[in-house]
Amino acid sequence: MVQKYQSPVRVYKRPFELVMAAYERRFPTCHLIPMFVASDVVNEEVSEDGSVHKIERRCALDVDAPRLLKRIAGVEYVYFNQKNTLNKRERTLHIESRNESFSNRVIVHETCCYSVHPEKDDWTCFEQTASLDIKSFFGFESTVEKIAMKQYASSINKGKEIIEFYLNELEVEGVVHVPRWNPPTRSLPRPTSLSTSPAVIPKHTGVPALCAPDASDAKDGTGVEAKQDGAVVQADSLTEILAGTPEDKLDADYIKRYLGDLTPLQESCLIRLRKWLQETHKGKIPKDEHILRFLRARDFNIDKAREILCQSLTWRKQHQVDYLLETWNSPQVLQDFYTGGWHHHDRDGRPLYILRLGQMDTKGLVRALGEESLLRHVLSINEEGLRRCEENTKVFGRPISCWTCLVDLEGLNMRHLWRPGVKALLRIIEVVEANYPETLGRLLILRAPRVFPVLWTLVSPFIDENTRKKFLIYAGNDYQGPGGLVDYIDKEIIPDFLGGESMCEVPEGGLVPKSMYRTPEELENEDVRLWTETIYQSASIFKGAPHELVIEIIDAASVITWDFDVCKGDIIFNIYHSKRAPQPPRKDALGAHGITSPGLNNVQLIDKSWTLGQDYSMVESPLTCKEGESVQGSHITRWPGFYILQWKFHSMPACSATNLPRVDDVLATLQMSTHKCKVMYYTEVLGSEDFRTACCDVQSLGSMTSLESSHSGFSQLSAATVSSNHSQSSSMISR
């Protein structure tokens, strides 16, 4: 299995030339890296003007592996080759390292780059990527992988310390400046190649390399680490390191300041998932804190985190959650009877939310508002919590990514176990767990009555195990003693109704007047309105049953635009043209597959008797879209008629990333086909003039992600925005 690793950008606040002087002191051996036992120069080349210096070394490493494993492998040391290219003119050092030992069983490849900071000319940046591919190793593949991971994690952080050590050593010696390279005034003869004997290296065992740190690693202390990263990395890895703008990259100091202390492997997961999102969700990249929460929720398993994150991003897009704080106005009944609100912060600087659940008339709120309105209100609370976390991060000067919730259960009774109310609570928990993972830092449950175990039995199966570990439950007045509330909240912030000194503005609640109750029909209509209040539509796609949408075009110069997300499975997107109107749609999914969710449908328009090339024609090459991708594009029509957008089943969806039960899906999964994909889409037809105006307006804002193409495989004409005499259409796709 191939493992890949990517480091954040690490910054040395010293000039490039001085960092290079410190770097060279790590050879031929480095006492700060005991495992790095020897290195020998194999080849060295210098350009005629002296601006480019290439050097190749063969290095020996004493890997911290079990003695038995070394005896089975028949080696004492492992070897790797390192190639350095120092360009003094461009002020860069490129390092590439590969293992020599065990190269037929284990492939380790690492690339590193030192370069000048893009904004500060007297600072130096370091970036590193690595891969590890263990094909076979005497049945110890898992052990070798663990050794590599351990050495990678332990040495990557040490790399910067080593450079800093030699920089300080230079300063003690009085070397605080190294002049930059300047072209020679006249050419001087220089050696083009010289080699030395490998006598310094311990005797070669004849077996190629295990987890030898890259040369850069060894020097950086990151060599072995890099190995773990890697697998078979292509020869252009060095260019991949430098790909993208500075804004696309993460600085190690930024991570520590705003995201917290992460291990090297966690940093790598964050950077790789972030890069994947940049490639597949152009223009819709969530904040780094948000990505990190989903990684933490799945123990930094990238595949699982990516799955739930993509589902959440689609959900946010469909329901316009990003604009909820600006668009949601709480009904007066919530302002008067919802017994929750924000109240200062806890001892760790986390925002503090207080919920007096025991004083809340849950039945009255559900009868007066409906389930969806309550859900919207809770979502707005969570959005406000995210905003407050960002604010507190700036105020306290340290990363704050979650909040504390204090729940007072005094007054909780059997009335709160009213079945529709519990159902609404379970739905809220489900939605919050799926879309706001790792936002709850601590939950303090106070004055839990005897009926609480019944409620806990009902809701606990729907709460993630990691979240349950954050619950602290106090019965009676236990919260007032040692280990109670004062351990987590400053005394002057404890609310007055809990015996504290702080006046709390959370409503006291009470019974909602029955005159405010609404009929079941009114509540159902309101819930449907809130559920379907979106410009996007959802569709299910089955094996043998694509979803199709027809658009009639009168003006041949019109532009069809689309924006869709692949929510589940992989699909193929096609665009067809026909002069004939399709037959009335057949909604097979509702009858054959039992779909009952609002807004979810499956419509087939192309009659099975139609022949491709005669009754209808394909105007674009098929586009394969993977689960989690977001696709935007447009098609400039050449002819009037009927254009059919088709989403067709390509492959089954991946296994779910969570084992938690889903309230709405438990019964549905028993009757629905597993061969199903889901898409969420929006389409619009623009006149050619409107399209050009929209393009100009968006370009003036510096972005054209909803219209401009960045995907090269969909159409040979995807870069064009105007029609051609030699083509019938042009399209633009952006993923």
Side-chain angles (χ1 to χ4, degrees):
M1 178 180 178
V2 176
Q3 292 198 39
K4 296 183 179 180
Y5 302 89
Q6 173 70 56
S7 75
V9 179
R10 304 188 185 278
V11 178
Y12 300 96
K13 298 181 180 180
R14 306 290 182 89
F16 175 80
E17 289 73 20
L18 192 61
V19 173
M20 291 300 97
Y23 174 82
E24 287 299 326
R25 293 202 169 199
R26 298 165 63 171
F27 295 96
T29 60
C30 176
H31 69 281
L32 298 174
I33 314 176
M35 73 180 73
F36 187 60
V37 296
S39 67
D40 188 32
V41 175
V42 176
N43 187 61
E44 186 172 3
E45 298 179 3
V46 181
S47 64
E48 185 175 349
D49 62 358
S51 63
V52 179
H53 184 188
K54 296 182 179 180
I55 186 168
E56 181 177 352
R57 292 184 176 91
R58 183 169 182 264
C59 307
L61 185 72
D62 185 6
V63 178
D64 183 18
R67 187 67 184 175
L68 176 61
L69 182 60
K70 288 186 176 182
R71 292 186 62 181
I72 293 175
V75 300
E76 187 66 27
Y77 303 108
V78 292
Y79 299 84
F80 63 93
N81 294 320
Q82 177 197 39
K83 295 180 180 179
N84 291 6
T85 301
L86 174 63
N87 191 319
K88 300 178 182 179
R89 185 191 303 273
E90 298 180 0
R91 303 178 74 195
T92 60
L93 172 64
H94 288 169
I95 306 166
E96 183 175 7
S97 303
R98 295 179 182 273
N99 63 305
E100 174 186 324
S101 302
F102 305 110
S103 58
N104 60 330
R105 297 178 179 273
V106 180
I107 300 176
V108 177
H109 184 238
E110 181 193 35
T111 54
C112 304
C113 179
Y114 287 88
S115 60
V116 177
H117 193 283
E119 297 178 357
K120 293 185 177 293
D121 192 55
D122 56 345
W123 287 7
T124 304
C125 296
F126 172 77
E127 296 178 70
Q128 173 189 10
T129 183
S131 64
L132 170 69
D133 184 11
I134 303 177
K135 299 182 181 299
S136 65
F137 202 84
F138 313 107
F140 289 91
E141 292 79 12
S142 177
T143 302
V144 172
E145 182 177 330
K146 290 179 180 178
I147 292 173
M149 292 180 67
K150 178 182 177 181
Q151 303 221 357
Y152 178 84
S154 64
S155 59
I156 195 169
N157 287 330
K158 195 175 182 181
K160 185 174 181 179
E161 297 177 6
I162 294 172
I163 291 292
E164 295 287 358
F165 172 83
Y166 286 118
L167 285 170
N168 293 334
E169 189 176 76
L170 287 170
E171 187 175 353
V172 171
E173 296 174 3
V175 181
V176 294
H177 174 73
V178 176
R180 296 185 185 180
W181 177 87
N182 289 309
T185 54
R186 59 189 182 87
S187 298
L188 297 175
R190 291 180 177 272
T192 58
S193 174
L194 63 93
S195 61
T196 59
S197 155
V200 180
I201 301 249
K203 183 178 179 182
H204 182 23
T205 60
V207 202
L210 171 58
C211 291
D214 305 345
S216 104
D217 288 349
K219 316 166 181 184
D220 222 31
T222 61
V224 177
E225 354 165 329
K227 297 178 165 181
Q228 168 188 10
D229 260 357
V232 183
V233 175
Q234 302 299 323
D236 60 351
S237 296
L238 286 173
T239 58
E240 291 180 2
I241 289 185
L242 300 177
T245 64
E247 292 76 13
D248 293 335
K249 301 179 180 181
L250 289 182
D251 182 281
D253 294 334
Y254 160 81
I255 291 177
K256 186 173 183 179
R257 167 63 179 84
Y258 291 98
L259 304 180
D261 292 323
L262 303 179
T263 69
L265 301 183
Q266 291 172 346
E267 289 177 340
S268 175
C269 290
L270 172 62
I271 293 170
R272 289 165 56 203
L273 181 53
R274 188 176 185 267
K275 181 179 179 182
W276 181 85
L277 288 168
Q278 288 171 332
E279 294 171 351
T280 59
H281 286 66
K282 297 186 182 300
K284 295 171 289 185
I285 306 301
K287 295 179 180 179
D288 298 324
E289 303 92 313
H290 199 63
I291 300 174
L292 187 58
R293 289 186 181 102
F294 282 85
L295 282 168
R296 283 174 169 153
R298 291 298 176 264
D299 295 325
F300 287 87
N301 182 307
I302 289 185
D303 292 335
K304 292 182 178 180
R306 176 168 52 203
E307 179 182 348
I308 61 173
L309 176 56
C310 288
Q311 292 171 356
S312 179
L313 292 178
T314 300
W315 170 83
R316 294 182 69 88
K317 179 178 179 181
Q318 181 177 12
H319 299 290
Q320 302 292 291
V321 178
D322 290 335
Y323 309 103
L324 191 59
L325 290 179
E326 291 77 25
T327 59
W328 171 251
N329 294 316
S330 299
Q332 190 62 43
V333 65
L334 278 175
Q335 298 178 32
D336 295 338
F337 295 98
Y338 189 87
T339 55
W342 294 99
H343 181 75
H344 301 289
H345 55 80
D346 68 4
R347 288 183 177 271
D348 296 321
R350 297 167 174 165
L352 176 62
Y353 189 83
I354 294 179
L355 180 64
R356 303 185 68 178
L357 184 59
Q359 304 299 314
M360 185 183 297
D361 181 10
T362 54
K363 179 178 181 179
L365 290 175
V366 173
R367 291 288 299 274
L369 293 170
E371 182 178 313
E372 291 301 323
S373 290
L374 277 176
L375 174 60
R376 288 290 179 101
H377 185 65
V378 173
L379 295 181
S380 70
I381 293 172
N382 280 269
E383 291 296 307
E384 173 66 16
L386 296 178
R387 189 194 66 78
R388 287 175 177 259
C389 285
E390 292 183 19
E391 187 178 274
N392 285 15
T393 295
K394 298 175 183 177
V395 171
F396 292 99
R398 61 178 182 273
I400 296 175
S401 61
C402 54
W403 53 82
T404 293
C405 185
L406 187 156
V407 181
D408 180 21
L409 295 183
E410 184 181 50
L412 188 76
N413 54 46
M414 293 303 295
R415 178 183 175 86
H416 291 85
L417 300 182
W418 179 58
R419 187 169 181 177
V422 173
K423 178 178 177 293
L425 175 61
L426 294 180
R427 172 157 172 73
I428 290 172
I429 291 174
E430 176 190 330
V431 173
V432 171
E433 280 284 303
N435 299 285
Y436 299 92
E438 296 299 315
T439 54
L440 181 65
R442 184 179 295 113
L443 181 65
L444 302 170
I445 300 177
L446 310 184
R447 302 197 278 196
R450 292 182 178 181
V451 73
F452 173 71
V454 180
L455 179 62
W456 178 249
T457 301
L458 293 173
V459 303
S460 60
F462 295 89
I463 302 175
D464 181 78
E465 181 180 356
N466 290 334
T467 303
R468 291 201 299 268
K469 293 177 181 178
K470 302 172 184 177
F471 285 32
L472 296 174
I473 302 174
Y474 299 89
N477 294 323
D478 291 348
Y479 69 92
Q480 297 177 342
L485 213 52
V486 292
D487 284 9
Y488 307 103
I489 302 174
D490 289 333
K491 185 176 181 180
E492 58 271 17
I493 293 179
I494 296 177
D496 51 350
F497 64 85
L498 292 176
E501 304 173 359
S502 179
M503 293 297 296
C504 185
E505 298 180 358
V506 174
E508 294 184 1
L511 296 178
V512 177
K514 291 186 177 181
S515 60
M516 304 182 73
Y517 285 13
R518 302 167 74 178
T519 65
E521 292 77 15
E522 290 176 329
L523 292 175
E524 182 178 356
N525 292 336
E526 177 68 8
D527 284 352
V528 171
R529 183 187 69 80
L530 291 173
W531 175 266
T532 58
E533 198 174 65
T534 174
I535 61 174
Y536 291 91
Q537 299 184 57
S538 297
S540 284
I541 301 159
F542 300 89
K543 196 170 185 179
H547 177 70
E548 294 163 345
L549 174 71
V550 64
I551 299 175
E552 184 176 4
I553 297 296
I554 306 299
D555 180 8
S558 299
V559 180
I560 301 172
T561 66
W562 58 81
D563 177 3
F564 67 85
D565 288 7
V566 185
C567 307
K568 180 183 290 187
D570 300 341
I571 59 99
I572 298 175
F573 180 60
N574 290 304
I575 306 176
Y576 300 101
H577 172 265
S578 175
K579 296 180 181 179
R580 299 170 52 185
Q583 296 297 317
R586 307 188 309 277
K587 296 191 176 182
D588 289 352
L590 290 174
H593 300 281
I595 298 177
T596 58
S597 298
L600 210 56
N601 61 87
N602 176 272
V603 177
Q604 298 170 53
L605 298 168
I606 299 177
D607 194 276
K608 295 186 182 298
S609 64
W610 282 17
T611 302
L612 182 63
Q614 297 180 10
D615 302 291
Y616 68 108
S617 60
M618 181 180 292
V619 296
E620 293 288 354
S621 299
L623 173 68
T624 300
C625 307
K626 301 291 185 181
E627 180 176 323
E629 289 188 343
S630 181
V631 182
Q632 300 84 36
S634 63
H635 178 89
I636 301 178
T637 63
R638 288 288 290 167
W639 300 303
F642 300 90
Y643 286 81
I644 301 172
L645 277 58
Q646 181 193 74
W647 292 268
K648 186 170 66 173
F649 180 92
H650 181 60
S651 65
M652 294 177 60
C655 296
S656 174
T658 176
N659 293 322
L660 290 177
R662 296 182 59 83
V663 175
D664 292 338
D665 292 344
V666 171
L667 295 178
T669 53
L670 298 178
Q671 57 182 341
M672 294 172 62
S673 170
T674 57
H675 296 267
K676 181 180 69 173
C677 300
K678 290 183 181 180
V679 294
M680 184 184 72
Y681 65 90
Y682 168 74
T683 62
E684 185 177 4
V685 177
L686 302 174
S688 57
E689 291 301 322
D690 295 335
F691 177 75
R692 292 189 179 93
T693 301
C695 289
C696 293
D697 291 344
V698 178
Q699 282 180 321
S700 67
L701 296 175
S703 172
M704 218 178 117
T705 54
S706 63
L707 299 174
E708 186 177 21
S709 171
S710 63
H711 181 73
S712 59
F714 187 72
S715 169
Q716 294 178 349
L717 301 172
S718 62
T721 58
V722 294
S723 58
S724 166
N725 294 330
H726 302 288
S727 65
Q728 63 182 20
S729 68
S730 65
S731 72
M732 293 183 294
I733 300 294
S734 178
R735 286 177 123 164

